[in-house]
Amino acid sequence: MDKKYTIGIPAEIRLIKDLERNSVNNNEVAGVIQHGGVPIMIPTRNPELMAHYVDLIDGLLLPGGPDVAPRFYGEEPVPELGDADAFLDASGIELVKLAVAKRKPIFGICRGTQVINVALGGTLYQDMYSQRNRPTLQHFQKAPLPQGTHSISVTPDRYLEKIIGGGDATLVNSHHHESIKAVSSQLNISALAKDGVIEGVESKDDDLIIGVQWHPEAMYTTDSKQDALFADFMKRVARYARATSADK
Ligand SMILES: [Mn+2]
């Protein structure tokens, strides 16, 4: 039997038929399985339990979801802030810190990328449209999510370039009104939209963290660049897991 690696995905609470359900996006589950991973849901938002989950997993996928409560980066909420769940934020931030400390690769998607940045000391625009001092493109697209709508410029010589290729013509989907403001000192920008909105970040000193602001899980079945993000994540997970077991 091939060695398979376990990927933790935090669940958000969704009210379904008046019951609180722990919910993960099935496209992300399928993307992990597609590349040989074994996804496990993290169905609790208690930060004190996150150390146990990080010991169980080989990699961490941080999915899209609600806005990040601004108090985690030292701000009060503006009127345009959307739904936020401080317990989900606190447990996500804890997962990032623990995964970095234990050398478990992280793949951030949309909100997940914002959580990574906040966990590592960065800040966010709570709402780009009211807070950025320059024209901002449509980042909450009205087109179906599997369709790319705005282009990105991939920063030359970043790890992201190795995964999806360089240039300024990659089309991505977009479903966010928050975005990274101040980038964590531990991260490099790897992609920008044409209006300057940060669309990708990655760890500076290694390839432990890749975060994108778009939703590759909605595009990977028809777009090989987006599929490559899942493939690369599972390769990084295998590489770090092998390095860790060789140390023992
Ligand atoms: Mn966007």
Side-chain angles (χ1 to χ4, degrees):
M1 198 168 78
D2 282 355
K3 169 71 183 162
K4 286 194 179 282
Y5 295 100
T6 305
I7 304 302
I9 309 177
E12 63 175 280
I13 297 269
R14 286 270 173 93
L15 207 57
I16 299 173
K17 294 186 177 168
D18 293 333
L19 291 172
E20 283 192 351
R21 302 283 189 175
N22 292 298
S23 167
V24 298
N25 183 342
N26 195 48
N27 286 338
E28 284 150 349
V29 168
V32 166
I33 292 171
Q34 167 90 356
H35 292 285
V38 179
I40 60 168
M41 186 196 272
I42 301 177
T44 171
R45 300 166 300 146
N46 180 344
E48 285 160 23
L49 293 178
M50 294 306 133
H52 298 272
Y53 285 104
V54 168
D55 281 343
L56 291 174
I57 63 178
D58 299 303
L60 176 65
L61 192 161
L62 288 172
D67 287 1
V68 179
R71 66 173 144 105
F72 290 102
Y73 49 93
E75 290 186 8
E76 295 293 320
V78 300
E80 293 80 6
L81 181 73
D83 291 345
D85 174 349
F87 294 105
L88 187 65
D89 299 334
S91 54
I93 287 167
E94 189 69 7
L95 280 169
V96 171
K97 290 179 177 170
L98 290 163
V100 168
K102 300 218 159 184
R103 311 296 287 163
K104 312 261 170 125
I106 304 175
F107 180 21
I109 292 176
C110 197
R111 162 198 161 79
T113 297
Q114 297 163 6
V115 170
I116 292 166
N117 188 54
V118 170
L120 302 179
T123 67
L124 306 177
Y125 290 110
Q126 297 181 41
D127 175 70
M128 293 186 287
Y129 297 97
S130 51
Q131 296 187 312
R132 287 181 91 232
N133 297 321
R134 53 185 286 193
T136 298
L137 295 165
Q138 186 186 81
H139 285 273
F140 209 99
Q141 72 184 45
K142 298 180 172 96
L145 200 56
Q147 299 176 16
T149 56
H150 75 65
S151 57
I152 54 166
S153 299
V154 177
T155 312
D157 301 323
R158 293 281 185 260
Y159 187 81
L160 182 69
E161 187 181 38
K162 290 187 207 151
I163 307 173
I164 67 168
D168 58 4
T170 297
L171 208 54
V172 298
N173 58 10
S174 197
H175 217 245
H176 59 116
H177 76 118
E178 289 196 304
S179 69
I180 290 175
K181 184 163 63 180
V183 185
S184 156
S185 62
Q186 296 175 54
L187 300 171
N188 276 327
I189 294 171
S190 59
L192 294 172
K194 295 302 186 292
D195 54 5
V197 167
I198 295 171
E199 291 278 340
V201 289
E202 58 190 53
S203 37
K204 257 184 188 167
D205 303 324
D206 50 39
D207 52 9
L208 201 61
I209 300 169
I210 292 281
V212 297
Q213 184 55 65
W214 64 92
H215 284 273
E217 83 284 1
M219 301 178 78
Y220 78 88
T221 56
T222 54
D223 182 335
S224 61
K225 287 185 180 184
Q226 306 309 328
D227 188 60
L229 282 164
F230 282 93
D232 171 80
F233 176 45
M234 292 312 303
K235 278 188 205 153
R236 286 188 289 127
V237 167
R239 198 155 67 231
Y240 277 89
R242 282 197 299 264
T244 305
S245 61
D247 287 346
K248 279 178 186 158

